[in-house]
Amino acid sequence: MNLMLTKEKQAPELLDKVKTISGAEALLIALLEEEVDTIFGYPGGAIMPIYDALYDYRDRLNHILVRHEQGGIHAGQGYARSSGKAGVVFATSGPGATNLVTGLADALIDSTPLVCITGQVFAHLLGTDAFQETDIVNITTPVTKWNYQVTDASEIPDAVAKAFHIARSGRPGPVLIDIAKNAQIQKFDFKGYTSCKHIRSYRPKPIVRQEYIQQAAELINNAKKPFVLWGQGVMLGSAEQEFKTFIEKAGIPAAWTIMGAGALPSDHPLNVGMLGMHGNYGPNVLTNECDVLIAIGMRFDDRVTGRLDKYAKQAQVIHLDIDPSEISKNVKATVPVWGDCKETLPMLTELIEATAHTEWLEKFRRYEQEEIKEVIQDELFPATGEITMGEVIQQLNELTKGEAIVVSDVGQHQMVACRYAKLNHTRSNITSGGLGTMGFALPAAIGAKFGALDRTVVAVIGDGGFQMTLQELGTIMQSGVDVKILILNNQFLGMVRQWQELFQDKRYSFVDITSPDFVTVASGYGIAGKSISEREGLKEALQEMLSHKGSFLLEVMVTKENNVFPMVPQGSSVSEIRLK
Amino acid sequence: MSTQHPIEKQEFTITVYTENQIGLLNRIAIIFSRRKINIESLNTSPSEIEGIHRFTILIHETEEVVRKVASQIEKQVEVLKVYYNTNEDVIWQEMALYKVPTDVIAEKALVERLLRENGARAVVIRKDYTVFETTGHREETENLINVLQPYGLIEFVRSARIAIIKGSEGFHRKLQEFEKREPGHDVVENEYLNKGDKVFTM
Ligand SMILES: Cc1ncc(C[n+]2csc(CCOP(=O)(O)OP(=O)(O)O)c2C)c(N)n1
């Protein structure tokens, strides 16, 4: 990702002579210069000149026509998350643009690089309540890393260059460029495209301070019970190898946030599991027992920390993050290590002594044994009764061997998928972490597949969430993309039902959800499918889904009222995690 | 920086050096409004450097919150630098205009004396009304309202606070650093973090 930014690039054929082209064409040339190959989009009046120009660029830019702009932006997110590149999304003005808002919010909170292009009414109509005019720049200001309105074609090359630089660098995020229709049509003297590498008011990478590295190393070297928490920052910084080297040398047990899952293989001996509300037992309890907590590329979300005033109070906290505003935002840092972890981790590794914390690691494993006995065994290997979500994921693991990309939606199935999916590779767990956007998985899986064509993509989705964006089956049908759709149907809005059961005396208020026959719906879109409810056929059905040529929808009827455990109830401390 | 307990709310002047960009005011304002923080006053003006804008924002908050807000403002792409200071750290002024009926002033010598005592200066004198101006701290401009109220104050307006940071050497050197593509390692950017001595605590 960072490599792309340092490359000095200018189209050679454009250098010798100035071309007179339209703003729309300049946009497409700029996208090509930024090595964009795929666009997710939906046309409309205010973006028609861009779509008209795209007609001549179809051979170089693969435009995927989605069924709803929210689907388009989630697909862009999935693409970005699986490929490490920026996702590109087109939408028209007004309703097209406002349909992007959920995805922008999701991408901002989950640090996903996106460049969204919206059409806008003619500049002379701005502010007049023109047809399909919305003030999208102001609407999206809180949910974009940066946004900009173009009213003159000559602004386009620089605006796009800036957009890509900002979206990809530092802590990545979504940017939006709103282009007035006149600027799309307008012809101007295009002097060639120069990518952006520096904006004077923007410092994506804070400068690493050696003294903090030294202080951090000192704390780590003196620690008896050090504990590493890692988040998506490790992947965003492409620092998986540096991370592994660091924890291996220091011998420190490491746990992940759901956004960080997969940066270290699931079966790595130092990987002690998942953090947070539905995370593993040991990592949560021992957060309140460690003496040095080393947080790497994570932001202490409240779903991770539980009650803050009872969170790791005994520990010295070392926080490595590229975004200075995250340091001491929720959890006070004893030593702040600002910077790109790709740079800071090797600096730290050099200063730490090679050790093993065998006894301390053993402690995690003892908690794990208890969790297996109390929770995991029954969830993954039930002998009788209805199918559990956990056993579906377990059987899937046995078939994919951890090689697949798992995209999950939001709810119980998400927690189960994140807890149990075996991940051998980085960028393999794609889920809506910070925003918890139901309806994310199906379109994100489509995008993830386009971003990693050689990999199997399995979307694990609830019966509720699937119905939020199922129109994207049309995108699958038309594009022919190969996505495996695994619906875990508990006939409830399960996660809400779980809370109502545990905290509201089983007053099941509007969580009973009826679904259509999903297999018939899929077949209407020409997508093969199957529904099963018996344990006997589960593995074969999963195998059929995986080996089917093309997309396949498998609905598994799972037990209706299972709860996801362990659980840190809201307002409780991580060490008050419940096993039942 | 303040030595007061960070839990206590007090006035902070936030100084933001920015590029001149449409929409930036909104981007900055929503950082306060999303936390339900009331902006007591906000001023935008040129700065000591051509082309660079300076926001002066006054809020009443704890240092802890101000620090977080400041770092979220600084994170915005078009923001160059954010400083936050307590009242002890800044020289500040506000300006106020008062419109009063001219006949009252002409008739009552007392009013004229009061105006003089409060450092007011007549900006416009017409047959029907006179506009006075004072500059000072909040208490000073407020004082004159009370003084003039009984004599038929027609209109009153006060400007936002503008402030100079006592300890600042201006923005020139910092800007030069920012303009370098690869800032050198001698550039100490994260000065928020410089407060602790050995191991940083905030
Ligand atoms: C867009 C949106 N609306 C509402 C919610 C609140 N919510 C969180 S989980 C959940 C239930 C999800 O039900 P389902 O998709 O069937 O998955 P399950 O929990 O049963 O696995 C709801 C309604 C949300 N996260 N996102």
Side-chain angles (χ1 to χ4, degrees):
Chain A
M1 198 166 66
N2 293 331
L3 267 181
M4 300 181 67
L5 294 177
T6 51
K7 230 188 272 172
E8 195 61 72
K9 291 229 280 75
Q10 197 148 34
E13 73 271 18
L14 295 168
L15 275 178
D16 27 45
K17 74 168 187 285
V18 173
K19 274 210 300 189
T20 301
I21 59 171
S22 70
E25 189 173 5
L27 169 71
L28 301 182
I29 291 172
L31 295 182
L32 286 172
E33 287 290 321
E34 293 293 346
E35 295 177 350
V36 171
D37 49 28
T38 309
I39 299 164
F40 303 92
Y42 208 91
I47 198 169
M48 282 187 66
I50 290 174
Y51 272 84
D52 185 54
L54 190 57
Y55 193 75
D56 295 326
Y57 281 77
R58 283 169 300 168
D59 55 333
R60 282 157 286 175
L61 289 166
N62 184 20
H63 178 277
I64 307 300
L65 179 68
V66 293
R67 291 298 178 271
H68 185 289
E69 291 85 354
Q70 185 187 351
I73 190 162
H74 290 330
Q77 292 179 270
Y79 175 90
R81 296 265 292 267
S82 74
S83 70
K85 300 185 356 184
V88 177
V89 183
F90 283 2
T92 192
S93 67
T98 57
N99 279 344
L100 298 178
V101 171
T102 303
L104 290 169
D106 196 292
L108 185 70
I109 203 163
D110 281 349
S111 313
T112 309
L114 287 183
V115 174
C116 298
I117 307 292
T118 51
Q120 182 55 281
V121 300
F122 286 91
H124 72 271
L125 292 174
L126 287 170
T128 66
D129 304 316
F131 179 65
Q132 293 192 329
E133 181 196 358
T134 55
D135 184 359
I136 201 63
V137 168
N138 275 310
I139 288 175
T140 60
T141 294
V143 290
T144 49
K145 184 173 173 184
W146 182 77
N147 58 11
Y148 187 74
Q149 185 174 64
V150 169
T151 50
D152 190 282
S154 63
E155 297 176 273
I156 288 175
D158 284 351
V160 175
K162 232 174 138 175
F164 275 92
H165 176 47
I166 293 166
R168 296 194 285 229
S169 58
R171 178 177 178 175
V175 304
L176 181 140
I177 304 180
D178 189 36
I179 310 181
K181 197 168 178 179
N182 57 288
Q184 300 172 33
I185 299 166
Q186 183 195 341
K187 298 259 198 256
F188 75 111
D189 290 341
F190 181 61
K191 299 188 185 74
Y193 185 78
T194 316
S195 63
C196 172
K197 277 165 256 37
H198 178 77
I199 299 169
R200 90 175 161 181
S201 58
Y202 170 60
R203 279 140 307 126
K205 274 192 202 180
I207 284 160
V208 179
R209 297 266 299 261
Q210 185 65 35
E211 68 254 49
Y212 291 134
I213 301 273
Q214 274 156 2
Q215 287 169 10
E218 209 172 297
L219 279 181
I220 293 169
N221 287 336
N222 291 319
K224 297 276 171 300
K225 300 173 180 179
F227 184 25
V228 164
L229 317 181
W230 91 82
Q232 193 192 197
V234 172
M235 285 184 267
L236 294 172
S238 306
E240 294 89 346
Q241 192 52 50
E242 290 79 359
F243 173 72
K244 189 159 160 277
T245 310
F246 165 70
I247 59 164
E248 284 174 353
K249 182 171 180 193
I252 306 179
W256 38 275
T257 70
I258 63 169
M259 295 303 292
L264 185 72
S266 306
D267 55 10
H268 189 281
L270 289 170
N271 186 339
V272 295
M274 173 169 148
L275 293 164
M277 185 173 270
H278 292 293
N280 291 113
Y281 194 34
N284 275 305
V285 173
L286 296 176
T287 295
N288 279 0
E289 203 181 307
C290 66
D291 57 358
V292 176
L293 195 70
I294 306 133
I296 305 173
M298 56 86 79
R299 59 185 179 81
F300 293 108
D301 184 275
D302 54 272
R303 284 291 192 269
V304 162
T305 63
R307 196 169 151 171
L308 260 186
D309 61 358
K310 291 189 177 172
Y311 183 80
K313 285 296 173 198
Q314 79 295 344
Q316 309 254 44
V317 177
I318 301 168
H319 195 170
L320 286 74
D321 208 287
I322 200 165
D323 178 355
S325 76
E326 287 300 344
I327 295 196
S328 291
K329 186 184 81 177
N330 295 337
V331 172
K332 279 193 176 123
T334 319
V335 180
V337 182
W338 286 23
D340 184 339
C341 59
K342 186 138 185 114
E343 282 170 42
T344 54
L345 282 170
M347 291 168 81
L348 208 47
T349 305
E350 208 180 296
L351 297 183
I352 55 173
E353 292 148 17
T355 30
H357 293 276
T358 323
E359 242 170 78
W360 171 233
L361 183 61
E362 197 43 49
K363 199 151 190 182
F364 283 88
R365 296 305 173 200
R366 279 202 299 277
Y367 276 102
E368 186 184 19
Q369 284 313 313
E370 198 174 337
E371 188 180 342
I372 290 176
K373 197 168 117 248
E374 298 290 328
V375 180
I376 300 176
Q377 183 66 31
D378 286 346
E379 180 64 36
L380 300 194
F381 308 101
T384 54
E386 292 165 308
I387 300 177
T388 64
M389 289 184 175
E391 78 178 302
V392 181
I393 302 300
Q394 170 61 26
Q395 305 268 323
L396 184 70
N397 286 341
E398 285 175 17
L399 296 171
T400 62
K401 310 230 163 13
E403 290 295 308
I405 292 179
V406 177
V407 184
S408 51
D409 209 70
V410 173
Q412 291 185 311
H413 65 281
Q414 173 189 35
M415 292 299 118
V416 171
C418 290
R419 281 176 58 82
Y420 299 114
K422 181 168 155 53
L423 307 169
N424 298 344
H425 304 289
T426 189
R427 299 192 172 278
S428 297
N429 186 63
I430 298 177
T431 195
S432 167
L435 203 67
T437 306
M438 282 174 73
F440 174 83
L442 183 65
I446 295 171
K449 181 68 185 184
F450 279 110
L453 286 168
D454 54 339
R455 299 193 61 191
T456 299
V457 175
V458 181
V460 181
I461 318 183
D463 44 318
F466 184 69
Q467 293 183 68
M468 282 210 173
T469 48
L470 67 75
Q471 77 283 347
E472 299 308 329
L473 290 175
T475 307
I476 293 176
M477 174 177 64
Q478 188 168 358
S479 67
V481 67
D482 179 358
V483 172
K484 311 305 182 191
I485 304 158
L486 180 55
I487 298 179
L488 301 182
N489 188 347
N490 56 8
Q491 302 168 63
F492 270 118
L493 296 175
M495 186 55 92
V496 181
R497 188 209 53 75
Q498 172 169 348
W499 284 48
Q500 290 178 348
E501 176 186 334
L502 298 177
F503 312 118
Q504 289 170 339
D505 294 331
K506 270 199 168 193
R507 286 155 51 87
Y508 288 168
S509 183
F510 302 99
V511 289
D512 188 342
I513 185 168
T514 314
S515 295
D517 179 338
F518 290 128
V519 177
T520 306
V521 170
S523 85
Y525 284 99
I527 296 168
K530 186 171 202 152
S531 178
I532 60 153
S533 49
E534 300 300 326
R535 176 159 297 119
E536 286 63 53
L538 177 59
K539 195 151 200 179
E540 291 68 45
L542 285 164
Q543 185 57 60
E544 185 184 349
M545 171 184 87
L546 292 170
S547 42
H548 184 82
K549 255 181 101 60
S551 289
F552 192 96
L553 181 148
L554 176 64
E555 177 189 34
V556 182
M557 303 304 294
V558 295
T559 177
K560 285 183 75 172
E561 294 187 50
N562 248 18
N563 291 330
V564 185
F565 280 112
M567 179 175 196
V568 180
Q570 198 163 37
S572 300
S573 159
V574 282
S575 50
E576 291 161 4
I577 184 166
R578 292 168 52 173
L579 285 177
K580 53 179 117 205
Chain B
M1 202 60 60
S2 142
T3 47
Q4 290 191 28
H5 200 261
I7 300 303
E8 255 168 61
K9 285 193 180 186
Q10 57 175 318
E11 279 188 338
F12 279 94
T13 302
I14 301 174
T15 304
V16 187
Y17 286 92
T18 75
E19 301 290 356
N20 180 14
Q21 172 86 29
I22 291 172
L24 190 56
L25 174 61
N26 184 24
R27 241 178 215 287
I28 291 173
I30 60 178
I31 291 170
F32 295 95
S33 56
R34 78 183 275 212
R35 287 175 180 262
K36 274 206 123 175
I37 297 171
N38 191 29
I39 294 177
E40 310 279 339
S41 86
L42 185 152
N43 184 80
T44 70
S45 77
S47 71
E48 56 272 27
I49 298 168
E50 199 186 328
I52 294 205
H53 276 234
R54 179 171 179 154
F55 286 63
T56 307
I57 302 166
L58 179 65
I59 64 168
H60 192 77
E61 259 305 337
T62 63
E63 177 166 0
E64 170 90 4
V65 169
V66 173
R67 177 181 61 79
K68 290 177 189 177
V69 163
S71 61
Q72 286 178 336
I73 296 173
E74 191 158 283
K75 186 164 132 173
Q76 302 308 315
V77 172
E78 274 101 3
V79 170
L80 287 140
K81 192 77 200 147
V82 182
Y83 300 95
Y84 61 91
N85 297 97
T86 58
N87 285 348
E88 295 87 81
D89 301 334
V90 293
I91 310 287
W92 85 93
Q93 294 280 281
E94 293 169 346
M95 184 195 190
L97 297 175
Y98 313 77
K99 182 159 111 186
V100 282
T102 301
D103 50 2
V104 179
I105 299 163
E107 281 160 25
K108 300 219 163 81
L110 170 71
V111 179
E112 216 207 300
R113 209 187 73 218
L114 285 170
L115 285 165
R116 235 183 309 112
E117 276 175 13
N118 283 281
R121 185 177 68 85
V123 188
V124 168
I125 306 170
R126 288 176 32 145
K127 265 218 287 312
D128 45 350
Y129 65 80
T130 302
V131 174
F132 292 97
E133 168 264 331
T134 59
T135 303
H137 284 190
R138 174 71 50 99
E139 311 78 60
E140 294 159 331
T141 53
E142 209 119 271
N143 217 11
L144 196 54
I145 306 181
N146 300 331
V147 169
L148 293 175
Q149 210 77 2
Y151 304 104
L153 177 64
I154 302 167
E155 247 189 87
F156 168 75
V157 65
R158 180 171 50 219
S159 75
R161 167 185 288 198
I162 55 172
I164 292 281
I165 303 166
K166 289 180 186 168
S168 166
E169 40 181 78
F171 201 64
H172 299 89
R173 194 180 58 84
K174 264 253 160 332
L175 184 67
Q176 282 173 0
E177 291 166 4
F178 286 1
E179 282 177 343
K180 284 189 204 141
R181 290 181 152 243
E182 299 292 342
H185 275 266
D186 52 324
V187 183
V188 179
E189 285 183 19
N190 44 356
E191 60 233 4
Y192 288 132
L193 307 179
N194 282 348
K195 290 203 275 170
D197 20 76
K198 191 164 177 329
V199 171
F200 164 81
T201 45
M202 186 161 268

